[in-house]
Amino acid sequence: MAMGMIKFVALLAILVHSCVVVNGILDPVDFLALQAIRKRLVDLPGSNFFASWDFTSDPCNFPGVYCDGDKVIALNLGDPRAGSPGLTGKLDAAIGKLSGLAEFTVVPGRIFGALPESLSQLKNLRFLGVSRNFISGQIPASLGQLRGLQTLDLSFNQFAGNIPWSIGQLPALSNVILCHNRLSGSVPVFVSKTLTRLDLKHNDLSGSLPANAFPPSLQFLSLSWNKLSGPVNRILTGLKNLNYLDLSLNQFTGEIPGNIFSFPLANLQLQRNQFSGRVLPLDQVTIPTVDLSYNHLYGEISPLFSTVQNLYLNNNRFAGEVPGGFVDRLLSASIQVLYLQHNFLTGIAISPTADIPVTTSLKMQSFY
């Protein structure tokens, strides 16, 4: 009996040491995965995130580790406080062993290397955010297997290559943030009917946008600072829920659809493209900021723009006189910014002695 008791005690000690506690606090596979992840990462100077990661205790009590039963369901690596130092090292492929993981985030730091392909094994993953680090290589096409993924944030890294077509096919996406990388190639079609935010700015994307590129649910769209081209009027016409649109600094062509000025936009940025034609809003424009500068737009300026607070129409080919409604709103300080320079305008009906409010910025040089 004494020998049997000794064997039992020894076995119990082994189980406790490997964190397979009798009451099932943590699955041993998850325990080993957390150990592997920890070994590949270190705190940057000033960070103490891993100071209390002592694997002789329950990892479910570690900072950034959240469990449900015996499974890790959320892993948030690094101190989330703004301005705190982050982590450095590489992301270990063992993260794919955390089968219950629904959320994985990494705070800004200096994590480098590739994004593990094993992330595609996390069938419960809903939120993936590893922004503001130095992760490189290509975005794994296998992420297209994460059918429940809702948020994908890989912004401010060094990803290169194409945006995998499989990413656009994910049916549950609501937020896709891939800005400030080195991505090239074309923009894929996004099929999710719940997609509300798409941010691809500051990349090297090129080509024209597919006719069915974006769902009507989209509210935020930023494609600025790329090399995208071709017309967008048919694509934009159907995006009636947009409240932010930035297509600036591309090579888009064709006309600007008139109905876009009736969308519930707070900001419309179409500057520095190759848009052409007349600009004809359907109704009085209530968008606070509209920037159409540095294009090839022509014709008379519509009086329906007189209600815009910050209006940039400079460096186009507009002609004729500035509508009288602009004068009234200038003098009442309702217009804060009005840039009309470098067009073919013939004048504005305003007295040379008129007292322009100091809060208004008005530029009108190069009238003809």
mmCIF file of all heavy atoms in Angstrom, residues 67-104:
data_model
loop_
_atom_site.group_PDB
_atom_site.id
_atom_site.type_symbol
_atom_site.label_atom_id
_atom_site.label_comp_id
_atom_site.label_asym_id
_atom_site.label_seq_id
_atom_site.Cartn_x
_atom_site.Cartn_y
_atom_site.Cartn_z
ATOM 1 N N CYS A 67 -9.875 32.820 -20.065
ATOM 2 C CA CYS A 67 -10.288 31.439 -20.251
ATOM 3 C C CYS A 67 -11.787 31.271 -20.050
ATOM 4 O O CYS A 67 -12.433 32.045 -19.338
ATOM 5 C CB CYS A 67 -9.547 30.527 -19.272
ATOM 6 S SG CYS A 67 -7.749 30.578 -19.423
ATOM 7 N N ASP A 68 -12.295 30.226 -20.656
ATOM 8 C CA ASP A 68 -13.659 29.768 -20.422
ATOM 9 C C ASP A 68 -13.558 28.271 -20.194
ATOM 10 O O ASP A 68 -13.259 27.514 -21.118
ATOM 11 C CB ASP A 68 -14.549 30.077 -21.622
ATOM 12 C CG ASP A 68 -16.011 29.711 -21.362
ATOM 13 O OD1 ASP A 68 -16.343 29.363 -20.213
ATOM 14 O OD2 ASP A 68 -16.815 29.752 -22.317
ATOM 15 N N GLY A 69 -13.780 27.851 -18.948
ATOM 16 C CA GLY A 69 -13.546 26.458 -18.612
ATOM 17 C C GLY A 69 -12.062 26.156 -18.690
ATOM 18 O O GLY A 69 -11.239 26.848 -18.101
ATOM 19 N N ASP A 70 -11.711 25.146 -19.458
ATOM 20 C CA ASP A 70 -10.297 24.766 -19.558
ATOM 21 C C ASP A 70 -9.636 25.239 -20.841
ATOM 22 O O ASP A 70 -8.558 24.764 -21.197
ATOM 23 C CB ASP A 70 -10.161 23.237 -19.437
ATOM 24 C CG ASP A 70 -10.814 22.500 -20.602
ATOM 25 O OD1 ASP A 70 -11.627 23.128 -21.316
ATOM 26 O OD2 ASP A 70 -10.513 21.302 -20.793
ATOM 27 N N LYS A 71 -10.269 26.204 -21.555
ATOM 28 C CA LYS A 71 -9.737 26.678 -22.835
ATOM 29 C C LYS A 71 -9.458 28.180 -22.808
ATOM 30 O O LYS A 71 -10.206 28.959 -22.203
ATOM 31 C CB LYS A 71 -10.721 26.385 -23.973
ATOM 32 C CG LYS A 71 -11.158 24.929 -24.090
ATOM 33 C CD LYS A 71 -9.983 24.021 -24.435
ATOM 34 C CE LYS A 71 -9.492 24.238 -25.852
ATOM 35 N NZ LYS A 71 -8.409 23.291 -26.195
ATOM 36 N N VAL A 72 -8.374 28.568 -23.460
ATOM 37 C CA VAL A 72 -8.084 29.991 -23.647
ATOM 38 C C VAL A 72 -8.978 30.516 -24.768
ATOM 39 O O VAL A 72 -8.967 29.987 -25.890
ATOM 40 C CB VAL A 72 -6.601 30.208 -24.013
ATOM 41 C CG1 VAL A 72 -6.342 31.685 -24.298
ATOM 42 C CG2 VAL A 72 -5.699 29.711 -22.896
ATOM 43 N N ILE A 73 -9.758 31.549 -24.490
ATOM 44 C CA ILE A 73 -10.661 32.095 -25.505
ATOM 45 C C ILE A 73 -10.223 33.468 -26.012
ATOM 46 O O ILE A 73 -10.671 33.919 -27.069
ATOM 47 C CB ILE A 73 -12.106 32.183 -24.979
ATOM 48 C CG1 ILE A 73 -12.184 33.100 -23.758
ATOM 49 C CG2 ILE A 73 -12.660 30.807 -24.670
ATOM 50 C CD1 ILE A 73 -13.605 33.437 -23.330
ATOM 51 N N ALA A 74 -9.328 34.139 -25.276
ATOM 52 C CA ALA A 74 -8.804 35.435 -25.724
ATOM 53 C C ALA A 74 -7.365 35.566 -25.265
ATOM 54 O O ALA A 74 -7.025 35.207 -24.138
ATOM 55 C CB ALA A 74 -9.643 36.591 -25.184
ATOM 56 N N LEU A 75 -6.526 36.067 -26.177
ATOM 57 C CA LEU A 75 -5.122 36.288 -25.869
ATOM 58 C C LEU A 75 -4.748 37.669 -26.368
ATOM 59 O O LEU A 75 -4.747 37.929 -27.571
ATOM 60 C CB LEU A 75 -4.255 35.224 -26.544
ATOM 61 C CG LEU A 75 -2.744 35.298 -26.296
ATOM 62 C CD1 LEU A 75 -2.437 35.182 -24.808
ATOM 63 C CD2 LEU A 75 -2.019 34.204 -27.080
ATOM 64 N N ASN A 76 -4.469 38.576 -25.418
ATOM 65 C CA ASN A 76 -4.110 39.959 -25.731
ATOM 66 C C ASN A 76 -2.692 40.201 -25.247
ATOM 67 O O ASN A 76 -2.459 40.421 -24.053
ATOM 68 C CB ASN A 76 -5.080 40.937 -25.068
ATOM 69 C CG ASN A 76 -6.540 40.618 -25.361
ATOM 70 O OD1 ASN A 76 -7.374 40.564 -24.462
ATOM 71 N ND2 ASN A 76 -6.869 40.377 -26.618
ATOM 72 N N LEU A 77 -1.732 40.152 -26.161
ATOM 73 C CA LEU A 77 -0.321 40.207 -25.808
ATOM 74 C C LEU A 77 0.169 41.642 -25.694
ATOM 75 O O LEU A 77 0.091 42.417 -26.644
ATOM 76 C CB LEU A 77 0.510 39.452 -26.847
ATOM 77 C CG LEU A 77 0.264 37.948 -26.927
ATOM 78 C CD1 LEU A 77 1.066 37.336 -28.084
ATOM 79 C CD2 LEU A 77 0.619 37.253 -25.615
ATOM 80 N N GLY A 78 0.711 41.989 -24.529
ATOM 81 C CA GLY A 78 1.253 43.318 -24.292
ATOM 82 C C GLY A 78 0.343 44.169 -23.447
ATOM 83 O O GLY A 78 -0.857 43.929 -23.339
ATOM 84 N N ASP A 79 0.929 45.184 -22.838
ATOM 85 C CA ASP A 79 0.194 46.117 -21.983
ATOM 86 C C ASP A 79 -0.663 47.041 -22.852
ATOM 87 O O ASP A 79 -0.130 47.756 -23.701
ATOM 88 C CB ASP A 79 1.186 46.943 -21.171
ATOM 89 C CG ASP A 79 0.524 47.754 -20.074
ATOM 90 O OD1 ASP A 79 -0.682 48.062 -20.209
ATOM 91 O OD2 ASP A 79 1.207 48.093 -19.096
ATOM 92 N N PRO A 80 -1.985 47.029 -22.676
ATOM 93 C CA PRO A 80 -2.855 47.817 -23.560
ATOM 94 C C PRO A 80 -2.867 49.313 -23.274
ATOM 95 O O PRO A 80 -3.483 50.065 -24.017
ATOM 96 C CB PRO A 80 -4.241 47.206 -23.298
ATOM 97 C CG PRO A 80 -4.178 46.737 -21.878
ATOM 98 C CD PRO A 80 -2.761 46.250 -21.690
ATOM 99 N N ARG A 81 -2.196 49.773 -22.242
ATOM 100 C CA ARG A 81 -2.216 51.202 -21.923
ATOM 101 C C ARG A 81 -1.517 52.006 -23.014
ATOM 102 O O ARG A 81 -0.442 51.643 -23.481
ATOM 103 C CB ARG A 81 -1.546 51.456 -20.570
ATOM 104 C CG ARG A 81 -2.329 50.925 -19.388
ATOM 105 C CD ARG A 81 -1.588 51.150 -18.096
ATOM 106 N NE ARG A 81 -0.312 50.419 -18.076
ATOM 107 C CZ ARG A 81 0.523 50.423 -17.043
ATOM 108 N NH1 ARG A 81 0.222 51.130 -15.960
ATOM 109 N NH2 ARG A 81 1.656 49.736 -17.099
ATOM 110 N N ALA A 82 -2.124 53.085 -23.411
ATOM 111 C CA ALA A 82 -1.585 53.917 -24.493
ATOM 112 C C ALA A 82 -0.185 54.397 -24.143
ATOM 113 O O ALA A 82 0.065 54.883 -23.029
ATOM 114 C CB ALA A 82 -2.499 55.101 -24.754
ATOM 115 N N GLY A 83 0.726 54.271 -25.089
ATOM 116 C CA GLY A 83 2.081 54.749 -24.898
ATOM 117 C C GLY A 83 2.997 53.792 -24.168
ATOM 118 O O GLY A 83 4.193 54.071 -24.026
ATOM 119 N N SER A 84 2.479 52.661 -23.704
ATOM 120 C CA SER A 84 3.327 51.716 -22.982
ATOM 121 C C SER A 84 4.200 50.943 -23.964
ATOM 122 O O SER A 84 3.797 50.704 -25.102
ATOM 123 C CB SER A 84 2.475 50.743 -22.173
ATOM 124 O OG SER A 84 1.654 49.968 -23.029
ATOM 125 N N PRO A 85 5.416 50.538 -23.552
ATOM 126 C CA PRO A 85 6.271 49.762 -24.451
ATOM 127 C C PRO A 85 5.617 48.427 -24.804
ATOM 128 O O PRO A 85 4.850 47.871 -24.010
ATOM 129 C CB PRO A 85 7.552 49.551 -23.634
ATOM 130 C CG PRO A 85 7.495 50.572 -22.540
ATOM 131 C CD PRO A 85 6.047 50.795 -22.260
ATOM 132 N N GLY A 86 5.929 47.911 -25.973
ATOM 133 C CA GLY A 86 5.347 46.656 -26.419
ATOM 134 C C GLY A 86 6.297 45.484 -26.259
ATOM 135 O O GLY A 86 7.140 45.458 -25.362
ATOM 136 N N LEU A 87 6.162 44.541 -27.175
ATOM 137 C CA LEU A 87 6.943 43.317 -27.145
ATOM 138 C C LEU A 87 7.806 43.227 -28.393
ATOM 139 O O LEU A 87 7.556 43.914 -29.389
ATOM 140 C CB LEU A 87 6.021 42.103 -27.075
ATOM 141 C CG LEU A 87 4.925 42.115 -26.002
ATOM 142 C CD1 LEU A 87 4.015 40.917 -26.154
ATOM 143 C CD2 LEU A 87 5.548 42.154 -24.609
ATOM 144 N N THR A 88 8.806 42.366 -28.354
ATOM 145 C CA THR A 88 9.593 42.075 -29.537
ATOM 146 C C THR A 88 9.789 40.563 -29.623
ATOM 147 O O THR A 88 9.590 39.834 -28.650
ATOM 148 C CB THR A 88 10.948 42.805 -29.516
ATOM 149 O OG1 THR A 88 11.605 42.603 -30.775
ATOM 150 C CG2 THR A 88 11.828 42.300 -28.392
ATOM 151 N N GLY A 89 10.201 40.099 -30.807
ATOM 152 C CA GLY A 89 10.317 38.674 -31.051
ATOM 153 C C GLY A 89 9.402 38.251 -32.185
ATOM 154 O O GLY A 89 8.984 39.084 -33.006
ATOM 155 N N LYS A 90 9.080 36.966 -32.240
ATOM 156 C CA LYS A 90 8.230 36.432 -33.307
ATOM 157 C C LYS A 90 7.019 35.731 -32.723
ATOM 158 O O LYS A 90 7.029 35.281 -31.577
ATOM 159 C CB LYS A 90 9.030 35.453 -34.172
ATOM 160 C CG LYS A 90 10.161 36.087 -34.964
ATOM 161 C CD LYS A 90 10.837 35.060 -35.859
ATOM 162 C CE LYS A 90 11.928 35.694 -36.696
ATOM 163 N NZ LYS A 90 12.573 34.713 -37.612
ATOM 164 N N LEU A 91 5.975 35.652 -33.525
ATOM 165 C CA LEU A 91 4.766 34.929 -33.131
ATOM 166 C C LEU A 91 4.973 33.449 -33.439
ATOM 167 O O LEU A 91 5.255 33.077 -34.572
ATOM 168 C CB LEU A 91 3.545 35.460 -33.877
ATOM 169 C CG LEU A 91 3.184 36.921 -33.609
ATOM 170 C CD1 LEU A 91 2.020 37.349 -34.493
ATOM 171 C CD2 LEU A 91 2.825 37.130 -32.140
ATOM 172 N N ASP A 92 4.819 32.614 -32.425
ATOM 173 C CA ASP A 92 5.054 31.185 -32.598
ATOM 174 C C ASP A 92 3.854 30.500 -33.238
ATOM 175 O O ASP A 92 2.701 30.857 -32.969
ATOM 176 C CB ASP A 92 5.346 30.535 -31.237
ATOM 177 C CG ASP A 92 5.936 29.156 -31.380
ATOM 178 O OD1 ASP A 92 5.154 28.189 -31.513
ATOM 179 O OD2 ASP A 92 7.174 29.047 -31.374
ATOM 180 N N ALA A 93 4.132 29.509 -34.072
ATOM 181 C CA ALA A 93 3.064 28.766 -34.743
ATOM 182 C C ALA A 93 2.169 28.016 -33.768
ATOM 183 O O ALA A 93 1.052 27.621 -34.122
ATOM 184 C CB ALA A 93 3.668 27.789 -35.749
ATOM 185 N N ALA A 94 2.619 27.849 -32.525
ATOM 186 C CA ALA A 94 1.826 27.130 -31.527
ATOM 187 C C ALA A 94 0.518 27.828 -31.221
ATOM 188 O O ALA A 94 -0.390 27.212 -30.649
ATOM 189 C CB ALA A 94 2.638 26.965 -30.241
ATOM 190 N N ILE A 95 0.387 29.093 -31.633
ATOM 191 C CA ILE A 95 -0.882 29.787 -31.391
ATOM 192 C C ILE A 95 -2.043 29.047 -32.045
ATOM 193 O O ILE A 95 -3.173 29.099 -31.580
ATOM 194 C CB ILE A 95 -0.820 31.248 -31.891
ATOM 195 C CG1 ILE A 95 -2.046 32.018 -31.412
ATOM 196 C CG2 ILE A 95 -0.668 31.311 -33.410
ATOM 197 C CD1 ILE A 95 -1.981 33.490 -31.683
ATOM 198 N N GLY A 96 -1.757 28.314 -33.105
ATOM 199 C CA GLY A 96 -2.802 27.547 -33.774
ATOM 200 C C GLY A 96 -3.349 26.407 -32.941
ATOM 201 O O GLY A 96 -4.367 25.802 -33.301
ATOM 202 N N LYS A 97 -2.683 26.077 -31.825
ATOM 203 C CA LYS A 97 -3.139 25.006 -30.937
ATOM 204 C C LYS A 97 -4.218 25.481 -29.958
ATOM 205 O O LYS A 97 -4.856 24.665 -29.296
ATOM 206 C CB LYS A 97 -1.955 24.442 -30.148
ATOM 207 C CG LYS A 97 -0.837 23.852 -31.008
ATOM 208 C CD LYS A 97 -1.302 22.611 -31.751
ATOM 209 C CE LYS A 97 -0.147 21.962 -32.505
ATOM 210 N NZ LYS A 97 -0.581 20.750 -33.251
ATOM 211 N N LEU A 98 -4.393 26.801 -29.853
ATOM 212 C CA LEU A 98 -5.405 27.340 -28.920
ATOM 213 C C LEU A 98 -6.771 27.257 -29.584
ATOM 214 O O LEU A 98 -7.335 28.249 -30.048
ATOM 215 C CB LEU A 98 -5.055 28.784 -28.541
ATOM 216 C CG LEU A 98 -3.707 28.980 -27.839
ATOM 217 C CD1 LEU A 98 -3.411 30.468 -27.657
ATOM 218 C CD2 LEU A 98 -3.693 28.268 -26.489
ATOM 219 N N SER A 99 -7.323 26.063 -29.610
ATOM 220 C CA SER A 99 -8.498 25.774 -30.442
ATOM 221 C C SER A 99 -9.749 26.554 -30.050
ATOM 222 O O SER A 99 -10.662 26.705 -30.853
ATOM 223 C CB SER A 99 -8.796 24.272 -30.403
ATOM 224 O OG SER A 99 -9.024 23.834 -29.068
ATOM 225 N N GLY A 100 -9.793 27.057 -28.825
ATOM 226 C CA GLY A 100 -10.963 27.814 -28.394
ATOM 227 C C GLY A 100 -10.829 29.310 -28.594
ATOM 228 O O GLY A 100 -11.751 30.073 -28.249
ATOM 229 N N LEU A 101 -9.711 29.753 -29.159
ATOM 230 C CA LEU A 101 -9.409 31.187 -29.232
ATOM 231 C C LEU A 101 -10.404 31.915 -30.136
ATOM 232 O O LEU A 101 -10.584 31.571 -31.299
ATOM 233 C CB LEU A 101 -7.993 31.393 -29.753
ATOM 234 C CG LEU A 101 -7.321 32.729 -29.405
ATOM 235 C CD1 LEU A 101 -7.146 32.871 -27.904
ATOM 236 C CD2 LEU A 101 -5.971 32.851 -30.112
ATOM 237 N N ALA A 102 -11.021 32.962 -29.582
ATOM 238 C CA ALA A 102 -11.952 33.801 -30.345
ATOM 239 C C ALA A 102 -11.379 35.185 -30.610
ATOM 240 O O ALA A 102 -11.827 35.865 -31.534
ATOM 241 C CB ALA A 102 -13.283 33.935 -29.589
ATOM 242 N N GLU A 103 -10.386 35.593 -29.817
ATOM 243 C CA GLU A 103 -9.799 36.934 -29.966
ATOM 244 C C GLU A 103 -8.292 36.849 -29.768
ATOM 245 O O GLU A 103 -7.815 36.274 -28.791
ATOM 246 C CB GLU A 103 -10.408 37.894 -28.953
ATOM 247 C CG GLU A 103 -9.806 39.292 -28.962
ATOM 248 C CD GLU A 103 -10.422 40.204 -27.917
ATOM 249 O OE1 GLU A 103 -11.659 40.122 -27.726
ATOM 250 O OE2 GLU A 103 -9.686 40.981 -27.289
ATOM 251 N N PHE A 104 -7.556 37.448 -30.723
ATOM 252 C CA PHE A 104 -6.097 37.512 -30.595
ATOM 253 C C PHE A 104 -5.636 38.895 -31.001
ATOM 254 O O PHE A 104 -5.871 39.343 -32.124
ATOM 255 C CB PHE A 104 -5.418 36.465 -31.484
ATOM 256 C CG PHE A 104 -3.914 36.557 -31.466
ATOM 257 C CD1 PHE A 104 -3.221 36.516 -30.268
ATOM 258 C CD2 PHE A 104 -3.195 36.691 -32.642
ATOM 259 C CE1 PHE A 104 -1.832 36.609 -30.236
ATOM 260 C CE2 PHE A 104 -1.803 36.782 -32.632
ATOM 261 C CZ PHE A 104 -1.128 36.749 -31.411
#
